[in-house]
Amino acid sequence: MGMVTETLSFYTPYADTMRMEQALSLVLREGLISLRKDDRCFYVELRDQEYLTIPFLSAQTNPSLLQKQIQILYASSARMPAKDPYIKQNLLYQIALFRAAYVFTFQYEKQERNDKILPLMEIADHMDALIFWESGDISDSYGDVILNKRGHSEMTVFNPVDGFDIANQALGLHEKQLRRMHHSLSVLRYKGIYAPTNIAPPYDDKLVVLQDEEAVCQRAIACMLVGVYTEVLIDTRGDYLQAYKNMEQLLDLYKASSYFTVREIEYLHNDVPSAADVHHYTHYFEYAYVLLWMVGLFETLYFPSAFCDRDAVMKVILNFHSIAKLVRKARLRKMDELLGALDLVQRYSWACRDAQKLGFLMPQGLCQEAVVIRHHALNWVVGAQGVGFDEVVPVISSLKAAHR
């Protein structure tokens, strides 16, 4: 039987070629005679006079040439059909994150293919590499096809790897911060949503929450009332008198006149509100829902792929016929839980913004407006110390330590 020659291309998020050197040494150790490299290739000598020459491109050794290769790879992959658009989107994210490429060309008798290829796939696993096969298939290091030329995938979820090490001591992260970040990242992986690992944790455990149960409950009631007003305004095609009349009984019940922000008061007293303002306040029940969760009156923060059930929000508040009764029932959640929710939602927020910027679908059906509302509300309670509700501007920042 004749020899077969096959070429595999490995792409990895790690620019440091030392990682490949360690992987080669570890996986091939029993048959390895010598291993050396220059700035373009690894040269491997194995037993039985077998040699491997492994050319590579790295962001450290040849960044411009690698970038050109990545652009070509991205463009060709973007043209591939896909039965699951979320798989394809995450594949394109992964391609953009590649920082090195290695080419393995090897020969074998047909019956020996597995013996030859399994060690190479183990090397790919150490590198968190994707394998680009001559057939056009793109797989992970286990050989599971992420995408092929016909648009098929063997995966239900594919998660990109960015190569950032949050456990790096130079980052100065506390144990609780690391635990929260790991939890957020595990949720993202389970859902198949990509957001960078190096998004900084929000604030720290020394933060003092200035918003107490009463302030949060007042804000929840105000947001519900604005939501009620806006719904009627839309249903009556701008009849602000009817909208106000519909809200007035609840306004009196909770003595809520002082609960509104300046901007909300201006909106409620504007007989011809702008379309932009009406749109802004359309989903204010969502604010009420998140705020009520923060004081324990909803048990769970659902995955934000849709807006909350406005009737459920009203039912929770209307079960209490005064602000005093509502506040007595409310218990602000512990700081660790609030910061955990904020860490996760800011990653959702990044994922939505980046998908919008790139023209992608919202990841796994995330509702961007619901995510923005949740991010804003959590920042007001946890992070925006002394800042008014209308002035909160959530910011997503990155960890600054070099990691590649």
Side-chain angles (χ1 to χ4, degrees):
M1 302 178 81
M3 296 289 287
V4 176
T5 301
E6 189 169 350
T7 299
L8 302 181
S9 298
F10 290 7
Y11 286 83
T12 173
Y14 304 108
D16 184 4
T17 56
M18 280 294 296
R19 192 181 184 99
M20 174 58 80
E21 187 170 345
Q22 291 167 358
L24 289 168
S25 299
L26 180 65
V27 175
L28 302 177
R29 61 187 179 278
E30 292 183 3
L32 186 64
I33 301 298
S34 67
L35 172 63
R36 62 186 180 86
K37 70 166 181 163
D38 56 28
D39 60 355
R40 292 184 301 172
C41 288
F42 280 94
Y43 304 93
V44 181
E45 180 183 359
L46 300 170
R47 291 178 183 170
D48 301 323
Q49 296 186 326
E50 186 176 357
Y51 301 90
L52 285 176
T53 300
I54 308 167
F56 64 83
L57 287 173
S58 166
Q60 287 184 343
T61 59
N62 200 332
S64 59
L65 189 56
L66 176 68
Q67 188 57 37
K68 288 179 182 177
Q69 181 62 35
I70 296 302
Q71 289 170 352
I72 293 169
L73 193 63
Y74 189 100
S76 63
S77 299
R79 290 193 295 269
M80 293 173 73
K83 305 291 184 184
D84 185 336
Y86 298 119
I87 293 284
K88 181 176 176 178
Q89 285 183 186
N90 278 356
L91 173 62
L92 294 176
Y93 273 126
Q94 183 66 82
I95 290 171
L97 292 166
F98 287 147
R99 295 294 177 267
Y102 299 85
V103 178
F104 289 79
T105 302
F106 58 105
Q107 292 185 323
Y108 56 86
E109 299 280 356
K110 284 188 177 180
Q111 70 272 19
E112 296 176 348
R113 184 175 187 271
N114 284 348
D115 292 338
K116 294 289 185 179
I117 209 164
L118 288 177
L120 299 184
M121 295 174 74
E122 188 178 348
I123 291 167
D125 190 48
H126 283 284
M127 300 297 293
D128 290 325
L130 297 194
I131 304 174
F132 288 72
W133 303 78
E134 289 180 311
S135 64
D137 291 358
I138 305 169
S139 83
D140 64 9
S141 60
Y142 298 99
D144 294 327
V145 174
I146 301 165
L147 197 62
N148 65 20
K149 289 182 176 180
R150 298 179 301 282
H152 293 290
S153 175
E154 295 177 350
M155 298 179 149
T156 54
V157 174
F158 168 66
N159 296 295
V161 175
D162 60 19
F164 191 93
D165 178 17
I166 61 173
N168 186 338
Q169 291 186 352
L171 299 175
L173 298 174
H174 302 302
E175 183 181 345
K176 285 187 176 180
Q177 290 175 314
L178 283 170
R179 188 164 62 244
R180 283 192 290 269
M181 292 174 76
H182 278 297
H183 176 264
S184 295
L185 293 169
S186 68
V187 172
L188 292 175
R189 282 192 294 270
Y190 176 76
K191 295 289 186 181
I193 296 171
Y194 172 69
T197 306
N198 70 335
I199 291 175
Y203 314 106
D204 59 40
D205 297 274
K206 298 176 183 177
L207 198 67
V208 177
V209 180
L210 296 184
Q211 318 300 346
D212 59 13
E213 282 89 352
E214 184 174 16
V216 175
C217 288
Q218 288 178 351
R219 190 91 287 274
I221 290 171
C223 289
M224 180 199 74
L225 293 175
V226 172
V228 168
Y229 177 88
T230 304
E231 278 191 344
V232 177
L233 195 68
I234 292 170
D235 290 343
T236 60
R237 298 185 178 182
D239 188 341
Y240 74 97
L241 291 175
Q242 181 62 39
Y244 191 84
K245 183 178 180 181
N246 197 73
M247 181 186 72
E248 198 168 20
Q249 185 177 354
L250 292 174
L251 187 68
D252 292 339
L253 178 64
Y254 294 102
K255 298 179 175 56
S257 297
S258 63
Y259 299 170
F260 301 102
T261 68
V262 172
R263 184 178 175 186
E264 290 163 1
I265 291 170
E266 290 173 348
Y267 169 67
L268 294 172
H269 286 83
N270 189 345
D271 56 354
V272 187
S274 68
D277 275 349
V278 172
H279 178 79
H280 176 74
Y281 292 110
T282 297
H283 300 297
Y284 252 48
F285 285 103
E286 191 70 27
Y287 273 117
Y289 164 75
V290 178
L291 291 161
L292 292 171
W293 173 84
M294 284 189 265
V295 290
L297 296 174
F298 277 108
E299 290 187 10
T300 306
L301 268 184
Y302 64 89
F303 178 67
S305 58
F307 291 108
C308 68
D309 181 344
R310 50 92 68 195
D311 292 333
V313 169
M314 292 195 70
K315 182 178 179 181
V316 166
I317 292 177
L318 294 176
N319 277 341
F320 305 93
H321 300 297
S322 70
I323 182 67
K325 290 179 180 178
L326 186 65
V327 171
R328 280 200 293 272
K329 181 68 174 178
R331 292 291 182 273
L332 194 66
R333 293 179 185 271
K334 292 181 179 178
M335 175 64 78
D336 190 54
E337 191 172 5
L338 294 173
L339 287 174
L342 182 53
D343 187 275
L344 179 59
V345 80
Q346 71 174 5
R347 295 172 197 276
Y348 285 154
S349 187
W350 185 96
C352 288
R353 289 188 209 173
D354 209 51
Q356 183 181 46
K357 180 177 70 177
L358 295 171
F360 287 173
L361 298 172
M362 284 297 117
Q364 299 301 328
L366 279 170
C367 175
Q368 186 171 17
E369 286 187 293
V371 169
V372 168
I373 286 170
R374 193 173 293 187
H375 196 191
H376 183 278
L378 282 160
N379 263 279
W380 176 69
V381 172
V382 177
Q385 305 299 287
V387 176
F389 189 80
D390 288 337
E391 286 72 52
V392 173
V393 180
V395 176
I396 302 172
S397 59
S398 294
L399 293 163
K400 299 189 186 323
H403 61 283
R404 292 190 177 96

